[in-house]
Amino acid sequence: MSAGTYAHPARLVLMNPGPVMTDGRVRDALGGPDLCHREPEFSELLARVRHRTTLVAGGDDRHTSVVLTGSGTSAVEAAISSAVPADGGLLAVDNGHYGERFSHIARAHGIRSHRLELGWGNPADPAAVDRALSGRPGLTHVGLVHHETSSGMLNDVAALTEVAHSHGCEVIVDAVSSIGAERIGLAEDGIDWLAGSANKCLEGAPGLGFVSASRTAFEALAGAPRRSYSLDLHRHYLAQEKAQAPAFTPGVPAFYAFDTALSLAVAEGWEARNLRYRGLARQLRDGLEELGLEILLPPEQRAAGLTAVRIPGGWSYSELHEGLRAHGFVIYAAQEQLARDYFRLSTMGCMTEGDIGRFLLVLRRLLGDRDGTTGTRQARTRTGEGGEV
């Protein structure tokens, strides 16, 4: 077998944080009929998807959603480039890779911004946001991430939104890795702009992003600067709301799949999905700790959908990835400053307790094969039991 190719096990378990494993009904929906996006059938599909998206985003009759063909990042970029006025500015709350991305997007569009660096793995502190806004009255928007997937951190969106609003700022929330399985709501939290993805915790197919906000906010974009053509939210809003059609050719199969995934998400509810994900995460984390592996964050800061784990002593990430991939498990590298020491494991999507149990068994055997034990000794030396390496 050549390098970079793998045998295909009966069940490939994706422990990367998106694309996630999907329900068979979602995969089947991808094979829906060929359809012109200017026909009434697609208008009905688009309206249904937009309505259900607004529901899962915690919106009410005052809110709506615009669905874009693109990644979750495209939705975040559409919100930033469309919502910040010409004379405005963005405070990027940065406690990880995706918080930092807010400032990169702002810079790409010539938007004035200030990056509030809190440090990876540190909670987004409302007091720090308050101080940053107090000293910069020209800032009009605050960008923050709900689930910072680089570390698994869950930030307190409600508290941060309250602080931002006290300074007269609107809030743009990256909910790409949280919506569908964590508590967040446009109406309840007073979020001004919420960006999300069909994939990840909503368990749809990759390829669609969305932005949810009040109808008033979308209408007000008529006077906003046009920094982008294909990511102009007002353009998309007018097309989808007034003409009941997409502005550009959409990913029709992804819409079929998202429609099915949203139906399943609404039926299950975020609370039940959160319990399902947390049950899997608890099983995974307990097993990792039994192996002596170190988890990055304290329990109260962890999201349900992701766990960052220190790489066992004597292993590289690539060796760990190759060994687990050979047994049907796909793990995910950490990013940037965490990449040397950590890897990431997702519990999003249609994973089962059996999948987690098998993963832990395979991991134990891999670690044991390397040092000739049950797989716990060399992991513990990496985390301090028996001495540092």
Side-chain angles (χ1 to χ4, degrees):
M1 187 180 299
S2 63
T5 62
Y6 302 94
H8 293 282
R11 181 174 175 83
L12 184 63
V13 181
L14 301 183
M15 303 187 77
N16 54 284
V20 301
M21 299 167 68
T22 54
D23 189 286
R25 289 166 287 185
V26 173
R27 294 193 299 277
D28 289 345
L30 285 166
D34 294 333
L35 179 63
C36 175
H37 59 289
R38 301 299 179 193
E39 292 299 299
E41 294 91 338
F42 188 80
S43 293
E44 294 170 4
L45 174 63
L46 176 62
R48 192 164 58 245
V49 166
R50 291 179 64 215
H51 173 66
R52 287 174 172 167
T53 298
T54 306
L55 289 180
V56 298
D60 54 32
D61 291 342
R62 297 168 296 171
H63 300 93
T64 191
S65 298
V66 163
V67 184
L68 309 171
T69 296
S71 64
T73 300
S74 72
V76 175
E77 183 167 2
I80 296 169
S81 62
S82 299
V84 181
D87 60 350
L90 176 76
L91 177 69
V93 181
D94 171 11
N95 65 340
H97 176 83
Y98 296 95
E100 181 181 354
R101 182 175 287 184
F102 271 92
S103 61
H104 294 326
I105 293 171
R107 189 178 308 120
H109 290 279
I111 296 170
R112 184 166 58 90
S113 67
H114 174 73
R115 180 176 158 204
L116 176 61
E117 295 184 64
L118 300 171
W120 285 39
N122 294 321
D125 180 14
V129 174
D130 183 52
R131 289 191 297 272
L133 291 174
S134 296
R136 295 169 180 85
L139 297 178
T140 57
H141 287 70
V142 175
L144 57 96
V145 178
H146 188 206
H147 173 198
E148 179 51 75
T149 328
S150 57
S151 64
M153 171 74 68
L154 194 65
N155 289 316
D156 189 344
V157 166
L160 295 165
T161 298
E162 184 177 359
V163 170
H165 285 174
S166 73
H167 289 271
C169 293
E170 291 189 353
V171 174
I172 302 171
V173 176
D174 174 346
V176 170
S177 295
S178 62
I179 187 167
E182 300 284 358
R183 197 213 67 75
I184 190 169
L186 285 166
E188 186 175 352
D189 295 329
I191 295 168
D192 300 289
W193 301 93
L194 184 149
S197 170
N199 196 228
K200 302 187 187 291
C201 298
L202 287 175
E203 300 183 359
L208 298 180
F210 58 86
V211 178
S212 302
S214 70
R215 295 177 186 276
T216 302
F218 278 114
E219 294 282 354
L221 293 179
R226 297 290 184 263
R227 296 187 177 98
S228 173
Y229 191 84
S230 64
L231 294 179
D232 178 0
L233 277 184
H234 193 251
R235 183 188 306 278
H236 286 284
Y237 170 74
L238 289 179
Q240 296 185 18
E241 182 73 11
K242 311 300 183 184
Q244 291 81 52
F248 310 108
T249 305
V252 175
F255 269 89
Y256 285 138
F258 195 26
D259 186 35
T260 300
L262 284 167
S263 177
L264 297 173
V266 170
E268 184 176 14
W270 78 263
E271 298 96 334
R273 187 160 292 185
N274 180 271
L275 287 174
R276 173 160 63 88
Y277 284 14
R278 286 204 176 274
L280 295 172
R282 188 179 310 112
Q283 179 188 3
L284 174 65
R285 292 161 183 168
D286 287 349
L288 292 170
E289 288 175 349
E290 287 179 9
L291 289 172
L293 296 178
E294 177 187 335
I295 298 172
L296 177 61
L297 299 174
E300 66 275 9
Q301 296 175 358
R302 300 171 189 164
L306 188 126
T307 304
V309 190
R310 187 177 287 276
I311 297 170
W315 288 78
S316 67
Y317 169 75
S318 60
E319 290 173 326
L320 203 59
H321 177 274
E322 293 294 311
L324 290 165
R325 180 64 176 81
H327 292 277
F329 297 95
V330 175
I331 64 173
Y332 214 52
Q335 294 161 298
E336 298 168 42
Q337 58 191 269
L338 296 180
R340 187 178 67 87
D341 295 321
Y342 288 88
F343 68 103
R344 293 177 290 169
L345 298 171
S346 167
T347 40
M348 304 174 191
C350 294
M351 212 173 294
T352 68
E353 292 180 1
D355 292 329
I356 300 297
R358 286 193 304 111
F359 170 79
L360 291 169
L361 180 62
V362 168
L363 180 59
R364 179 182 292 272
R365 288 174 176 170
L366 281 178
L367 299 181
D369 287 346
R370 172 66 65 87
D371 69 358
T373 72
T374 61
T376 59
R377 181 183 60 80
Q378 55 111 253
R380 283 178 178 156
T381 58
R382 185 73 165 108
T383 58
E385 290 186 41
E388 292 291 335
V389 295

